[in-house]
Amino acid sequence: MWSAASEVDKTPLDVAHPAPPLPLSQLKLGQRARVRELRLPSPSHGHGEQLVLRLLEIGFVPGEAVRVMALGPGGREPLAVRVGGTMFALRRHEAEHVLVDLLDEGQ
Amino acid sequence: MTAATAALDAPRRVALLGNPNCGKTALFNLLTGSRQKVANYAGVTVERKEGRVASPSGRSYRVLDLPGAYSLNADSADEAVTRDVLLGRLSDEERPELLICVTDATNLRLNLRLVLEVRQLGIPMLLALNMSDLAERRGIRVDTHKLSELLGMPVVSTVGIARHGADRLLASLDEIDYAAVAEHAPEWKTPSLDQVTQTHRQVREILEQVVASGEGERRWDESIDRVVMHPLLGLVILAAVLLLMFQAVFSWAGLPMDAIDAATGWVGVQVGGMMSEGPLRSLLVDGIIAGVGGVIIFLPQIVILFAFILALEDSGYLPRAAFLLDRFMGKVGLSGRSFIPLLSSFACAIPGIMATRVISNTRDRLTTILIAPLMTCSARLPVYALLIAAFIPEQSVAGVFNLQGLVLFGLYLSGIVSAMAVAWVMQRFGGSLAHHPLMMELPTWRLPNLRNLLLGLLERVKIFLRRVGGIILAMMIVLWALSSYPAAPIDAIGPAIDHSYAGMIGHLIQPLFAPLGFSWEICVALVPGLAAREVAVGALATVYAVSGGADEAAALGTIVAQQWSLATALALLAWYVFAPQCLPTLAVIKRETQSWRYPLLAAGYLFGLAWLAAFFTYQIAVALGAG
């Protein structure tokens, strides 16, 4: 379930999602998606497993529906992401550890 | 009384535990009302709130409000305290005998994970299903019996703001079997990623059995967010909110401030009239009443500023403001999380520095602490107000702006701009600019609750008055003594204060400040100003009142306008943008960072910047003919 960032070929564990997953950070405003897996940071990334652990703890678990509700001024970051019944503000470098499958095209 | 019955009568130790934004503090306020004791946990500035409450049966409880936490796997100073209390790792803190897990009924998915994680510790627990009214309105129905059965703990529906929920909660506290409390501190270790996912799966299974809902309606929220968090409109609204806030601080506070001013003047005259001329009268009237009155006068401004901050925080707006400003803060290597502490610092740097405990990144937290004193706190206002009124003419600029207002705005702006510059330098040379965490919850919009607002304000007022009654009062007395003794010889020429200790100190340090255009009277006032900046105005009043022995009616403003040049006044304004003159702030930095390094660093860099800013201001002003 945990993929390392250094992995080039990721074999999806779930055959129901043949398309390659997208990092949450690339979702557009209003797009809905479902969390597929979390990507562990590479050692050079500056933050350890703690970040992924916290993302999991606040609800970014595989199978959970997510949606980008707002983007900060400039349209890049931070992202306001709805997950479960909660909304979290994430920077891109945090959101990119969540790999998602797109559900619809959004607005 | 036997030991056994004594133990039975001792109040039970109960702790409230829950995610941030679950309404835990509102419930705490409801349970304990104003019977709260606010202090700090030993060694850290994380606030420790405890209150006493009696159940309907007469049993008494000590309720501890633990800092909000998402997990035992602590990510901030706040969360570390919560973990350490539960695990019995804090030496001065007894482990609670019962945990009340406060959950937001509209957001059980997130909240229950912590409940399951903490349940493993084996501490007796009770689940408070908070905001159950809101859940009902949103069509979320929770089967509390089933939930209680699945979790193996009592479940009580509460509403953070309604009395009957708290009564039900109190009644159920009596039914807990406290004998089950373990002798030994529980064991805990950081869970693996798989364990966390496993816990989430358990939560999902529980929710499937107990919750029937229309998937948490948040439509109303979303439409507010579309406006408030809009990249452009959101910033306009934020600017308007901040403008309104500062406008309110200056205009609404005027009336109560005048009243306090008149009241202290009246008390001074009454007390002075009742006593005969002598050192005691001088101490009471010139030292204590005038000095303390000069500080209490800022209470209205502090109350208004905090009322805004507390209401904005309670409503859920502040995290959204932090969201909007995250990019800008990112440019200097900080994150939006630093916004709330810095905003509080406009009232006073001390609560601002304490609010940095939610910043998980240590570097970001240190930088925020170090720049917090650059936010123009309300204690600088008296100095600014005095000098602006005395030296800046009241004229309009470009037809719409008031020159005095513009100068004040410029002073605030210089503080903010310098803070950003300092932050950039610190983050640039002290660490990397990349990858600062934000990960901040944007909670549901909520109408601020009046009771919580008032209790929060009361707490701030108490802290402020305690300062006035403590360090500020003491400094006023010391200053009075320094400026009254030794008395001038009968045949002395020149003002009496010239012969006192204060005069000596002023003359001693004056060479250092001469290039800034500061007179020795200003230097004397700078010394007590170390206790708190606002004391400087009182000190100037004391220095001039004592030195002239002059007409008490002559306003200080008139005196300084006659005696100082414009260049000196401008230099003093520039000095106060940076001045490290607040010992309580430095003390909080020391306690917060657990080292002398940072308070010394803060004092050093602020002093350096203040000196340079005042130096250049003075020299340039003199060159332009304002000397």
Side-chain angles (χ1 to χ4, degrees):
Chain A
M1 172 175 288
W2 317 111
S3 70
S6 54
E7 266 180 60
V8 181
D9 295 311
K10 273 190 284 307
T11 21
L13 293 176
D14 194 338
V15 283
H17 302 291
L22 204 65
L24 177 59
S25 51
Q26 285 178 20
L27 237 52
K28 293 190 187 72
L29 187 65
Q31 275 185 329
R32 293 169 201 273
R34 197 172 289 284
V35 177
R36 189 194 290 192
E37 59 184 357
L38 273 83
R39 181 162 61 179
L40 289 175
S42 59
S44 62
H45 206 78
H47 42 217
E49 202 176 290
Q50 172 73 17
L51 170 80
V52 174
L53 194 55
R54 182 45 61 108
L55 280 169
L56 267 180
E57 283 168 344
I58 62 176
F60 289 94
V61 269
E64 199 69 53
V66 292
R67 187 178 181 196
V68 176
M69 305 304 290
L71 291 166
R76 263 178 62 84
E77 66 176 348
L79 301 90
V81 185
R82 245 292 274 288
V83 56
T86 328
M87 186 153 65
F88 279 95
L90 300 178
R91 281 190 167 176
R92 296 179 70 85
H93 73 87
E94 291 164 331
E96 70 188 15
H97 292 285
V98 181
L99 298 178
V100 298
D101 293 306
L102 211 55
L103 290 180
D104 65 31
E105 284 306 309
Q107 304 164 343
Chain B
M1 192 189 285
T2 66
T5 57
L8 205 68
D9 288 343
R12 293 289 182 192
R13 298 185 307 277
V14 171
L16 293 179
L17 171 84
N19 284 166
N21 308 309
C22 69
K24 185 170 57 64
T25 300
L27 189 62
F28 176 72
N29 286 341
L30 187 65
L31 279 173
T32 61
S34 52
R35 299 176 302 276
Q36 299 181 3
K37 243 174 47 193
V38 183
N40 285 298
Y41 289 96
V44 282
T45 38
V46 174
E47 258 172 21
R48 182 188 187 281
K49 289 188 179 180
E50 194 185 73
R52 272 174 187 265
V53 64
S55 70
S57 73
R59 202 166 216 323
S60 77
Y61 295 91
R62 272 166 52 193
V63 185
L64 182 66
D65 186 19
L66 290 171
Y70 291 108
S71 164
L72 289 179
N73 171 32
D75 212 17
S76 66
D78 256 13
E79 291 187 335
V81 163
T82 296
R83 177 198 61 206
D84 291 346
V85 169
L86 295 185
L87 300 181
R89 288 186 192 167
L90 287 184
S91 50
D92 298 342
E93 195 68 51
E94 279 183 285
R95 276 188 298 126
E97 294 173 280
L98 172 74
L99 288 179
I100 301 176
C101 283
V102 186
T103 53
D104 175 353
T106 65
N107 195 6
L108 282 176
R109 167 119 350 142
L110 176 66
N111 287 207
L112 278 188
R113 196 206 63 82
L114 178 68
V115 176
L116 292 185
E117 185 184 13
V118 172
R119 191 176 61 170
Q120 296 167 0
L121 300 180
I123 306 169
M125 283 164 83
L126 183 152
L127 190 94
L129 205 55
N130 209 9
M131 306 193 205
S132 38
D133 57 334
L134 195 64
E136 261 170 53
R137 251 180 286 145
R138 289 194 184 160
I140 303 170
R141 283 187 310 281
V142 183
D143 181 346
T144 51
H145 292 290
K146 186 82 185 167
L147 183 61
S148 166
E149 190 189 304
L150 291 173
L151 290 174
M153 63 182 79
V155 173
V156 183
S157 284
T158 55
V159 180
I161 49 169
R163 191 65 232 172
H164 61 86
D167 288 340
R168 247 183 320 207
L169 184 61
L170 278 175
S172 43
L173 287 184
D174 286 342
E175 290 160 20
I176 301 288
D177 176 18
Y178 293 92
V181 182
E183 282 291 308
H184 301 287
E187 295 278 323
W188 177 83
K189 64 180 184 27
T190 312
S192 70
L193 299 175
D194 282 318
Q195 280 170 322
V196 177
T197 317
Q198 189 56 41
T199 317
H200 271 295
R201 197 166 297 147
Q202 268 175 280
V203 170
R204 222 179 281 179
E205 279 162 15
I206 292 173
L207 290 181
E208 273 165 19
Q209 295 181 62
V210 301
V211 177
S213 78
E215 198 41 51
E217 284 283 320
R218 284 186 51 144
R219 224 174 283 154
W220 175 232
D221 260 61
E222 284 177 20
S223 31
I224 301 179
D225 281 339
R226 252 195 291 279
V227 180
V228 170
M229 293 171 69
H230 187 274
L232 234 129
L233 202 54
L235 286 175
V236 173
I237 293 173
L238 176 59
V241 167
L242 293 180
L243 201 70
L244 176 74
M245 185 167 108
F246 284 109
Q247 180 67 35
V249 166
F250 289 106
S251 56
W252 300 356
L255 212 64
M257 287 174 81
D258 289 345
I260 294 174
D261 196 26
T264 45
W266 182 83
V267 171
V269 170
Q270 293 303 309
V271 172
M274 282 188 297
M275 300 171 71
S276 53
E277 184 71 47
L280 190 62
R281 187 180 104 155
S282 168
L283 168 66
L284 272 176
V285 177
D286 298 331
I288 297 179
I289 298 174
V292 169
V295 182
I296 290 199
I297 196 162
F298 298 103
L299 191 59
Q301 290 184 329
I302 290 179
V303 166
I304 292 174
L305 196 52
F306 270 117
F308 266 90
I309 290 175
L310 290 170
L312 289 177
E313 191 162 35
D314 221 17
S315 70
Y317 183 70
L318 282 191
R320 285 164 171 88
F323 171 87
L324 287 170
L325 291 176
D326 183 64
R327 273 304 289 287
F328 301 110
M329 312 285 278
K331 296 250 188 277
V332 297
L334 291 170
S335 81
R337 279 187 178 246
S338 299
F339 168 70
I340 299 174
L342 291 178
L343 184 66
S344 302
S345 300
F346 280 106
C348 173
I350 292 170
I353 288 169
M354 289 173 64
T356 62
R357 60 180 190 240
V358 297
I359 301 175
S360 51
N361 183 292
T362 317
R363 264 225 80 74
D364 285 8
R365 183 158 177 237
L366 278 175
T367 305
T368 310
I369 287 173
L370 288 174
I371 63 171
L374 283 174
M375 300 297 122
T376 301
C377 66
S378 46
R380 284 182 178 92
L381 275 176
V383 184
Y384 288 174
L386 172 78
L387 296 180
I388 288 176
F391 289 95
I392 309 295
E394 212 180 334
Q395 63 185 54
S396 68
V397 178
V400 272
F401 299 108
N402 173 301
L403 184 61
Q404 294 189 331
L406 279 184
V407 171
L408 188 65
F409 179 73
L411 292 167
Y412 270 88
L413 201 63
S414 339
I416 297 169
V417 170
S418 337
M420 294 301 123
V422 171
W424 185 83
V425 171
M426 280 177 185
Q427 297 287 48
R428 181 75 186 76
F429 296 104
S432 75
L433 283 173
H435 298 316
H436 289 261
L438 177 64
M439 212 187 282
M440 173 182 64
E441 187 177 347
L442 303 167
T444 316
W445 286 98
R446 222 172 279 158
L447 217 54
N449 173 253
L450 196 63
R451 185 191 308 107
N452 293 328
L453 199 68
L454 290 178
L455 281 171
L457 273 183
L458 191 69
E459 204 181 299
R460 293 292 156 218
V461 170
K462 274 189 197 159
I463 292 172
F464 177 75
L465 291 181
R466 217 176 292 142
R467 256 183 91 200
V468 171
I471 189 155
I472 294 179
L473 178 63
M475 288 308 289
M476 290 332 271
I477 294 173
V478 168
L479 175 75
W480 171 85
L482 284 178
S483 42
S484 302
Y485 297 98
I490 306 285
D491 55 347
I493 311 155
I497 194 171
D498 221 352
H499 301 271
S500 69
Y501 296 115
M504 294 176 209
I505 297 172
H507 286 293
L508 190 72
I509 62 172
Q510 207 248 340
L512 179 61
F513 294 99
L516 319 182
F518 290 4
S519 65
W520 68 266
E521 289 98 335
I522 300 178
C523 295
V524 171
L526 289 181
V527 177
L530 278 171
R533 296 179 181 92
E534 59 268 44
V535 177
V537 170
L540 275 176
T542 311
V543 169
Y544 281 109
V546 175
S547 73
D551 187 11
E552 279 176 48
L556 182 60
T558 322
I559 297 178
V560 298
Q562 285 163 358
Q563 300 209 358
W564 301 354
S565 68
L566 176 61
T568 296
L570 292 178
L572 194 58
L573 283 175
W575 169 267
Y576 266 98
V577 170
F578 302 97
Q581 289 180 313
C582 181
L583 288 178
T585 299
L586 295 176
V588 166
I589 296 179
K590 155 85 174 60
R591 203 171 46 177
E592 189 72 33
T593 59
Q594 304 280 305
S595 116
W596 279 107
R597 198 179 148 190
Y598 296 99
L600 289 175
L601 183 64
Y605 99 80
L606 288 168
F607 185 88
L609 284 181
W611 197 92
L612 287 174
F615 176 77
F616 284 111
T617 306
Y618 181 70
Q619 298 300 340
I620 291 170
V622 168
L624 293 175

